Amino acid sequence: MSLNIEIGGLLAKARERASLTQAELAKRWQTSQTRVSRLEAGDPAFEATDHLAYLDALGSPDVERLRDLISAEWRHLPRPSLLHPDVDGLLKAEEALERLSQFLATEDVPRAVAGQAEMLSRRIYEFADYLRSLHHRVAFIGDIGVGKTTAACRQAGLVLSPESAADLRGILLDTGGGRVTLCEVSVLSGSSFAIDVEPLPDEEVYRLVADFCRSVKVASEATDDAPAPAADYRPAEEVERAIRNMCGLARPPRRKGVIHTDPAADILAAHPELEDFRAEVAAKLTLWRRTRRQIAYEGADEAQGRQWLKETFAAINNGRHSEFSLPGRITVTVPFSISQGSAYEVELVDTRGVDLSAVRPDIVAQLKDRRTVSVLCSRFNSAPDISLQGLLQHMGETEVDASFRTRALVLVLARPGEALEMRDDSGLGAQSAEDGYDIKRGHVEDALTKIGSGGLDVEFFDSTADDPESLTQTLALRIGQIRAAHATSMVAATRAVDQMLANVAEAQALAVLDEINGELTIFANRHSLLRRIDLPVHERLISALRFRHPRTVWAATRRSGMFWNFDVYQHIGDGAAAQTKRRCAPIIHGLREILENKLNNPELESAHDFIGQLLDDLSTWEADLVEAARHFAVSIYRPVLKDADELWETCEDYYGIGRSDYRGDVADAVQSWFVDNPELADKVERRIQRSWKNSVLLKMRNAAGEAPAEDATSAP
C-alpha cells in the first residue's frame, strides 16, 4: 500500500470522527469536493503540504498525531506503515536517535556520557528492529500422539468446515493416533492454497531405506529357536510408512483369519543378499523423478480448496504423491487468516512429535526464538509430560535468557470426560469441565514449580468440545504481551536518552557518571579472565548417550553424530553453554548486585536511567557470551568429530551383536575420543576467553566511555 493511500484513509477516518462530509470539509478548506475525494483516495499527485492543509481545515483536536506522522522525517529507521500498530513508538525512537546523532556530532562530547550514548543508540535500534516486523510464530510442541496437530489446526481454522470441525475428521493437516506428522510443518496466510516441500537429501533417503531393508531382513531370519535380536533397525513408523508408499510396498490391512505377506519380504526372497535387496528397494523410489517442490490449488472455490489441501497434504506426508520425495520440511499456505482478529502476521509451526526426549535442535530453536510463542502440549492425565519437564530443565541449565518462559505456555489437551474425573483435595468430584480444569491447573503448576519453571501459564483445550476461539485469542494476546514488553523497554531507552542529555549540562551529574564509570573500569580490570572449572564440554553428551534409546544412538552413529532425534553436536554446544554460564554467573551476579545497589541510592538519581539500561544490557552481554561459547564448541569439534570415521564405524558395529551395555560402550568410546583430542578443548577455551573480553568486558568499558587498554580481539 502506497504512503498516499495510507494517509488518505487516515484523513478520511479523521473527517468521519469529526462528523463532517467531504462537501462540508471542502467548504471549510475553500476547495472542491473532488479535491477532497482525490486526496482521501490516495492520489499520488498530492504532497505532504496538501495533507497538512487538509488537517488545518479539519481542525479537530485529534489531528496532532496525524500531523506528526505525516511530517516526520525518517533518517535513522526505515519508514514504517502509518497503519503499523507500533508506529507511534517507532516515531519516538526515530526522534530519540536523531537527538543522539546530533549530540554525538558535536565537539567535545563528555567522556562520561560518550559510551552511554552509543549504548542507548544500539539498544533503541534493536528494539525498533524487533517491533518493525509483524511476523511471529506459534509453535506447537509435544509428545507423539498427544494431539498437538489437531489442537493447532482447530484453533487456526484449518478444518474442512467450522460446523463439522469438532468430530476431528475434517482437520486439514494429516492427523491420527500418533506418528503421523513426518516433519516440521509451517502454515502461513497467503493468496491461495499451496504446498512447498523441502525434501530430505537423497543421501539421507537412501540411508533410511537401508535401515528399513535391514529391519526386514532381520525379521525374516527370526525363528522360534532363534528369535529376532533385541536391536531395532526400523526407521520411525511414520518414516517407514512413507518409504513403503514411495516404493509401492504398502502392506494390506491385517484381518482376522487372513494371511497376508509383506511385499518387501517377497522382494527379499527374490534377492536374499542384503546389498541386492537394498538396491532393489532403492530403485523403486525413483528419486530422479521426484523433483517437484511446489504445488498449488488452481480453482476459486474455497471449500474445494480446503478439500484439495487435505488430500494433497496427506498424499505428500505419507509418500503417496509420485512427484515429491520424502519431505524434510513442509510449508502450507492458505488464503485466510490463521489468527483471526490479530494485527500480526502469524505463522503456525507444527513440530515433529517428541520421541522420548524434547531436547532437539529444532525444538530448542523454537523456545529460543524471541518471535515465537511455544505451546508445550501435554496429555491431561500426565501433564506436564516428562519430556517437557526435561526440556524446561535443560533450558534452565543451558540458557541465560530466561525470557523464553514469557514466550511459552503449557497447553493441557483433554479428551472427553477426563476433566470430569478430577477430584479436589476434599475428595469432591468436578462439577463441570471448567471445574476439572481448575483442579488440574493446580496440580500442573505445582509440578512446574518443583522443576524451577513456576509462573508458566497453563491453558486447557478439548479439541472435541471447547471453543477454539478462546485459545486463538490467548495466543494472540501472548504475542501482544511480548511486543508490549519490547515497546516498554524501547520507551525506557528513549527516556534514558533525555536524562543523559540533561546530565550533560550539570557538573554534579557528570561527576556521578564519572564515579560509576570508574567503578565499571575497575571491575573489568579485576575480572579480565574467566576461571576454568572442572566441567568438560562433552559431559552432557556422554550422559545423553548413556540414557537415550539404543536405536536412536545407533541412528546417530550411522550419520556421524547428526540425527534428527539426537544431534551429538547440539549436546556439545549445550555443554559449553552450561559450563560458561556456571563460570560467569558469580561475576555477573556480583556486578548486577553493585548496579542494583546504586539504582536504589537516591544520591545517584541522575544516573538511574543509565544504570537501568546497564542492567538490561548486562543480561544481553551474558547471553551473547553463552551463545558464543555454544557456537565455538560446535564449530571447533564438528569438523573433526564428523570425520572421525573409525570412531563412528566402531560405535555402529557395537549395535546388534549382543553387547550387554551398548549405550555405555558407545559413551566410553566417545569419551576416549575427547580425551585423545585435548587440543580441541584448549582451542574452545581460548575462544571463550576472547569472547568474555569482547562480549562483556569490552562492552562494559565502552559503556563507561573508556577505550580498552589492550586489543580485546586478540587471543589470551
Side-chain angles (χ1 to χ4, degrees):
M1 184 184 296
S2 72
L3 180 60
N4 270 25
I5 291 177
E6 287 184 354
I7 295 175
L10 292 172
L11 293 178
K13 289 181 180 178
R15 174 182 55 76
E16 291 168 359
R17 286 196 301 272
S19 301
L20 290 176
T21 65
Q22 288 184 344
E24 290 169 335
L25 179 61
K27 185 176 181 180
R28 280 192 185 185
W29 196 3
Q30 296 182 350
T31 188
S32 67
Q33 181 179 346
T34 301
R35 186 183 185 198
V36 173
S37 177
R38 288 173 54 208
L39 190 146
E40 291 182 356
D43 191 324
F46 291 103
E47 299 179 354
T49 53
D50 299 301
H51 301 140
L52 295 175
Y54 179 108
L55 291 175
D56 289 338
L58 186 59
S60 60
D62 65 345
V63 299
E64 288 308 313
R65 172 180 176 272
L66 265 179
R67 187 185 301 280
D68 291 342
L69 291 176
I70 291 171
S71 58
E73 295 184 26
W74 297 82
R75 295 190 177 95
H76 306 279
L77 300 175
R79 179 188 291 273
S81 164
L82 298 184
L83 304 178
H84 192 292
D86 295 298
V87 65
D88 295 305
L90 291 171
L91 178 56
K92 292 184 183 301
E94 169 67 31
E95 293 168 347
L97 290 170
E98 177 61 19
R99 293 196 296 275
L100 281 171
S101 177
Q102 292 178 6
F103 169 70
L104 291 172
T106 60
E107 296 182 359
D108 301 324
V109 174
R111 181 179 60 83
V113 296
Q116 183 181 352
E118 294 288 353
M119 179 188 75
L120 291 173
S121 177
R122 176 185 53 76
R123 285 178 63 80
I124 292 173
Y125 271 115
E126 289 175 354
F127 291 129
D129 184 61
Y130 183 94
L131 291 172
R132 270 206 327 272
S133 173
L134 297 178
H135 181 261
H136 291 271
R137 298 180 186 86
V138 175
F140 282 74
I141 299 164
D143 286 353
I144 292 169
V146 73
K148 63 181 178 59
T149 302
T150 300
C153 290
R154 284 280 282 129
Q155 69 84 28
L158 296 170
V159 294
L160 284 177
S161 171
E163 292 75 20
S164 61
D167 66 8
L168 307 185
R169 289 176 294 182
I171 301 297
L172 296 188
L173 301 187
D174 208 11
T175 60
R179 293 209 176 268
V180 174
T181 304
L182 190 60
C183 60
E184 180 176 289
V185 179
S186 291
V187 184
L188 299 164
S189 296
S191 59
S192 62
F193 290 101
I195 301 175
D196 287 76
V197 176
E198 181 181 327
L200 288 175
D202 287 356
E203 178 185 1
E204 175 61 13
V205 177
Y206 286 127
R207 189 179 287 117
L208 290 168
V209 167
D211 294 348
F212 164 68
C213 290
R214 188 168 184 176
S215 70
V216 173
K217 182 170 178 57
V218 168
S220 72
E221 294 171 346
T223 64
D224 292 340
D225 296 330
D232 180 11
Y233 299 99
R234 294 180 60 187
E237 181 181 324
E238 63 275 21
V239 173
E240 178 178 342
R241 179 170 55 246
I243 288 174
R244 283 181 174 275
N245 284 326
M246 291 172 69
C247 297
L249 300 176
R251 292 166 294 188
R254 298 179 184 178
R255 293 183 173 84
K256 186 176 181 180
V258 179
I259 298 177
H260 292 289
T261 60
D262 182 350
D266 293 340
I267 297 177
L268 176 62
H271 304 276
E273 294 298 323
L274 181 58
E275 288 298 319
D276 295 339
F277 174 43
R278 186 168 60 192
E280 287 295 318
V281 174
K284 288 181 172 294
L285 287 171
T286 61
L287 287 187
W288 57 90
R289 296 177 184 168
R290 297 176 176 272
T291 58
R292 190 162 187 174
R293 301 292 182 266
Q294 300 175 325
I295 189 169
Y297 174 64
E298 298 179 354
D301 184 280
E302 182 175 323
Q304 292 182 5
R306 288 175 182 254
Q307 185 66 44
W308 172 90
L309 176 60
K310 178 177 175 61
E311 295 172 356
T312 307
F313 180 88
I316 294 173
N317 185 62
N318 288 281
R320 296 198 308 267
H321 199 298
S322 62
E323 297 177 275
F324 287 91
S325 183
L326 199 64
R329 190 173 189 275
I330 301 175
T331 300
V332 173
T333 305
V334 294
F336 53 83
S337 173
I338 59 173
S339 182
Q340 292 293 334
S342 173
Y344 313 117
E345 300 166 2
V346 178
E347 174 184 357
L348 174 68
V349 180
D350 182 23
T351 61
R352 192 171 179 179
V354 171
D355 191 358
L356 298 181
S357 174
V359 182
R360 299 192 327 232
D362 61 319
I363 290 178
V364 171
Q366 301 293 352
L367 280 170
K368 291 170 61 175
D369 188 346
R370 295 195 172 199
R371 309 198 72 84
T372 298
V373 173
S374 296
V375 184
L376 307 178
C377 301
S378 282
R379 294 173 179 84
F380 187 88
N381 290 328
S382 59
D385 288 342
I386 295 298
S387 62
L388 298 184
Q389 292 187 44
L391 175 64
L392 292 171
Q393 289 177 309
H394 169 86
M395 294 294 291
E397 293 167 357
T398 62
E399 296 296 325
V400 171
D401 179 15
S403 70
F404 76 87
R405 291 191 178 93
T406 68
R407 302 187 300 273
L409 60 89
V410 174
L411 181 63
V412 181
L413 298 175
R415 287 179 167 79
E418 286 182 326
L420 292 175
E421 294 175 356
M422 293 300 300
R423 292 180 178 275
D424 62 20
D425 288 346
S426 66
L428 296 177
Q431 301 301 302
S432 65
E434 287 299 324
D435 191 20
Y437 291 166
D438 289 339
I439 297 172
K440 186 64 176 180
R441 179 176 285 105
H443 299 171
V444 175
E445 290 176 347
D446 289 346
L448 292 171
T449 300
K450 288 180 181 178
I451 62 170
S453 295
L456 275 179
D457 284 349
V458 179
E459 301 290 338
F460 292 81
F461 186 60
D462 180 345
S463 296
T464 65
D466 292 340
D467 183 1
E469 183 177 346
S470 176
L471 177 56
T472 302
Q473 292 175 351
T474 295
L475 298 176
L477 178 62
R478 177 55 58 90
I479 294 174
Q481 291 170 339
I482 295 170
R483 293 183 65 89
H486 281 77
T488 299
S489 296
M490 188 169 69
V491 169
T494 59
R495 187 175 61 242
V497 170
D498 294 333
Q499 186 181 68
M500 182 202 72
L501 296 177
N503 288 344
V504 172
E506 297 184 19
Q508 183 178 357
L510 288 179
V512 168
L513 286 174
D514 272 329
E515 177 186 341
I516 294 172
N517 290 340
E519 291 189 39
L520 290 175
T521 301
I522 293 172
F523 189 94
N525 291 337
R526 287 181 55 198
H527 299 283
S528 59
L529 287 176
L530 277 178
R531 293 182 181 178
R532 299 191 72 159
I533 60 175
D534 188 19
L535 181 68
V537 298
H538 58 273
E539 180 183 59
R540 299 181 73 89
L541 168 62
I542 301 304
S543 176
L545 285 170
R546 295 186 188 279
F547 292 100
R548 293 301 292 270
H549 193 281
R551 203 206 72 82
T552 299
V553 173
W554 173 72
T557 64
R558 278 180 43 76
R559 293 158 175 82
S560 301
M562 294 176 290
F563 184 50
W564 73 271
N565 203 26
F566 184 76
D567 191 302
V568 163
Y569 308 102
Q570 177 202 358
H571 288 277
I572 294 174
D574 288 340
Q579 178 201 73
T580 304
K581 179 180 177 180
R582 288 181 58 180
R583 294 171 67 181
C584 71
I587 303 174
I588 297 296
H589 176 75
L591 179 56
R592 183 172 283 114
E593 192 170 79
I594 291 173
L595 293 174
E596 288 174 347
N597 288 338
K598 293 184 179 299
L599 195 60
N600 292 317
N601 186 345
E603 295 181 2
L604 305 179
E605 185 177 358
S606 61
H608 280 181
D609 280 349
F610 171 50
I611 295 171
Q613 295 298 308
L614 269 177
L615 280 168
D616 287 345
D617 249 12
L618 184 58
S619 298
T620 302
W621 299 342
E622 185 182 12
D624 287 346
L625 171 65
V626 171
E627 281 304 303
R630 187 193 311 276
H631 170 77
F632 294 146
V634 173
S635 62
I636 288 170
Y637 275 102
R638 180 157 55 191
V640 185
L641 183 54
K642 181 175 178 291
D643 291 336
D645 295 338
E646 183 177 348
L647 169 67
W648 297 122
E649 289 172 3
T650 298
C651 292
E652 180 185 348
D653 291 344
Y654 286 162
Y655 194 60
I657 60 174
R659 300 179 75 97
S660 60
D661 185 14
Y662 163 72
R663 292 173 296 185
D665 291 339
V666 171
D668 291 342
V670 174
Q671 171 83 20
S672 296
W673 184 91
F674 278 93
V675 171
D676 293 341
N677 290 273
E679 72 283 358
L680 299 179
D682 292 339
K683 188 180 293 187
V684 172
E685 174 62 18
R686 289 195 297 272
R687 295 283 185 89
I688 291 175
Q689 292 289 357
R690 185 185 307 173
S691 186
W692 168 247
K693 291 186 175 183
N694 287 335
S695 296
V696 181
L697 300 185
L698 178 60
K699 291 179 179 178
M700 189 187 305
R701 293 175 184 274
N702 288 343
E706 180 167 327
E710 62 183 39
D711 182 7
T713 62
S714 62

